[in-house]
Amino acid sequence: MNGRGNAQYHYIVVGGGSAGSVLAARLSEAPERRVLLLESGSAEAHPLGVNPTAWPALWGSPVDYAYVTSPQAAMNGAEIPWPRGHTLGGSSAINGMVYLRGHRHDYDRWVQEYGAKGWSYAEVLPYLRRMETVPGADPCLRGQDGPMLPGRAVHPHPLSELFLTAASSAGYPLSADLNGIDAEAAGWNDLAIVNGRRQSAADAYLTPVLSRENLTVSTESRAVQLLFDRDMCTGVRYQRAGQLLESRAEAEVILCAGAVDSPRLLLLSGVGPAGELRAAGIEVHHDLPGVGRNLQDHPLTSVVYSARRAIPPGENNLAEVSMSWRSDGELPGPDMQMVFSHAPFHPPALQSPADSFTFCVATVPNSVGSIRLRSADPVQMPVIDPNYLGEERDLDRLVDGIEVIRDLASQNSFDEWRGQEVHPGAGSTTRNELKEFIRRATGSYFHPVGTCAMGSTDEAVVAPDLTVRGLRNLRIVDASVMPKLVSVNTNVATTMIGEYAADLVRHRDAM
């Protein structure tokens, strides 16, 4: 599967994750176009990777970068684990397999607030449809012939059913399809599980086309520097098997390395805030202040209840149902999400009985952070600072979210199962007590975005066509280009970005 160094290609795609798998597959559909996909992880899948219930066991494994944040000032200095996929399929190969698009406003705001022309919900819907096959769903909203095969939980857990009953009893609407017309409601999540096995982006897009002669997939190949001829990106320097190799791109180099490693590679190549580059001992090639800025991730807080009897094991992904709502009725779209699990799920510093169930609440944050280099050494882990809870408004919304959880948990449908509130505990009643709990009990929802944001503002790193501002033949296609975090899980939006970008690249080719 490994390709030659010092070779010439039309396109070099850096990163074989959700967007990179899509691009490598779509661009290699034209047999005259030679495509190189560089993936730093191994081609070998983790034996637990396909098991829908085992995804937490993938954290810290060889298919996880196992990043860790810097100490978080608003969280008592906690350093938060940041699992990111280190294999073909990227984080779609290790995530929780929740397949949600989000609300139409999530995309409309990219245009309205950030000048990302062309990325409204109506304009991205064809690409959301292109990526999936959903038999029996509304074909105006859901795809009928795409490679992803999302669907509801097969043999759902009985507690998931109770969550939906409780949400309805508490006055929240239920949706027949959270990826359809009613995205702001409680309902069954679509899951990236097919015939009882995980379906990653690589499974759907890349694996079926690996035999193409014009597609070279080079695994265990870590990009360390972009190559330039003045303002034109000409190729990539990468490490493989102890060697430093170079490959050249006639048309484009396309970064799909994710919200951590796309800005990291730009910075290592001298593209980013000039002062920061000089401080790291890197020669400035192109001063682009937004690189590594605008980092966003959903903070996730868990409320855990012990069960009055043994909870049966589930067959799916531990998160079959969810609910979205607005923290303020004046907002144009939801900014809160709750995910229910029939198992204990919380940061490792907390302890819960084995027979527990969890309501997790997340918010679209006002807080933003950054990705920075420690030094010019490409081996060193970057400084990851999501600035969790840096804005008081994030804390306030999470407190309100705990109150929503307590309302749902108190509904009659849970009476036969509900034991004690383990975390934060029934004794935590004041807003200050709940804020203190949130500061010590919040973790990542594993949805980093925004560090190479698109748009037309001065802070934008890429234009709406995803080309890097001020440089030629260089494009970024991954979660880092989202100028604002969507209100739900990010993998569907990231895969869609890959589908959309394939058309953008082909349009450029045709000019």
Side-chain angles (χ1 to χ4, degrees), residues 1-9 35-39 215-221 238-241 243 245-247:
M1 190 173 284
N2 282 337
R4 307 181 309 276
N6 303 312
Q8 189 86 11
Y9 299 88
V35 179
L36 170 63
L37 174 62
L38 296 174
E39 166 55 44
L215 174 61
T216 300
V217 178
S218 184
T219 53
E220 299 181 56
S221 301
Y238 56 100
Q239 295 174 335
R240 192 183 73 219
Q243 292 183 292
L245 304 174
E246 293 181 2
S247 289

Side-chain angles (χ1 to χ4, degrees), residues 225-255:
Q225 189 177 17
L226 301 174
L227 305 175
F228 291 98
D229 180 1
R230 295 183 292 276
D231 66 344
M232 179 182 293
C233 188
T234 59
V236 180
R237 183 173 293 133
Y238 56 100
Q239 295 174 335
R240 192 183 73 219
Q243 292 183 292
L244 196 59
L245 304 174
E246 293 181 2
S247 289
R248 304 283 171 166
E250 294 177 6
E252 287 192 11
V253 173
I254 307 172
L255 303 189

Side-chain angles (χ1 to χ4, degrees), residues 156-293:
H157 198 278
L159 285 176
S160 299
E161 299 266 11
L162 297 185
F163 172 84
L164 296 181
T165 302
S168 179
S169 299
Y172 293 92
L174 298 183
S175 174
D177 182 359
L178 289 176
N179 287 317
I181 194 74
D182 299 317
E184 186 178 357
W188 294 100
N189 296 328
D190 276 350
L191 307 176
I193 300 173
V194 180
N195 297 325
R197 296 167 62 92
R198 172 194 298 274
Q199 187 190 38
S200 71
D203 295 330
Y205 283 89
L206 197 58
T207 301
V209 303
L210 287 175
S211 61
R212 287 178 181 164
E213 293 185 0
N214 64 326
L215 174 61
T216 300
V217 178
S218 184
T219 53
E220 299 181 56
S221 301
R222 183 66 180 262
V224 297
Q225 189 177 17
L226 301 174
L227 305 175
F228 291 98
D229 180 1
R230 295 183 292 276
D231 66 344
M232 179 182 293
C233 188
T234 59
V236 180
R237 183 173 293 133
Y238 56 100
Q239 295 174 335
R240 192 183 73 219
Q243 292 183 292
L244 196 59
L245 304 174
E246 293 181 2
S247 289
R248 304 283 171 166
E250 294 177 6
E252 287 192 11
V253 173
I254 307 172
L255 303 189
C256 303
V260 175
D261 283 289
S262 281
R264 178 188 192 184
L265 184 56
L266 288 174
L267 294 169
L268 288 169
S269 306
V271 179
E276 181 181 324
L277 293 172
R278 293 189 185 101
I282 295 175
E283 182 179 350
V284 179
H285 182 80
H286 179 55
D287 183 13
L288 195 55
V291 173
R293 302 295 193 265

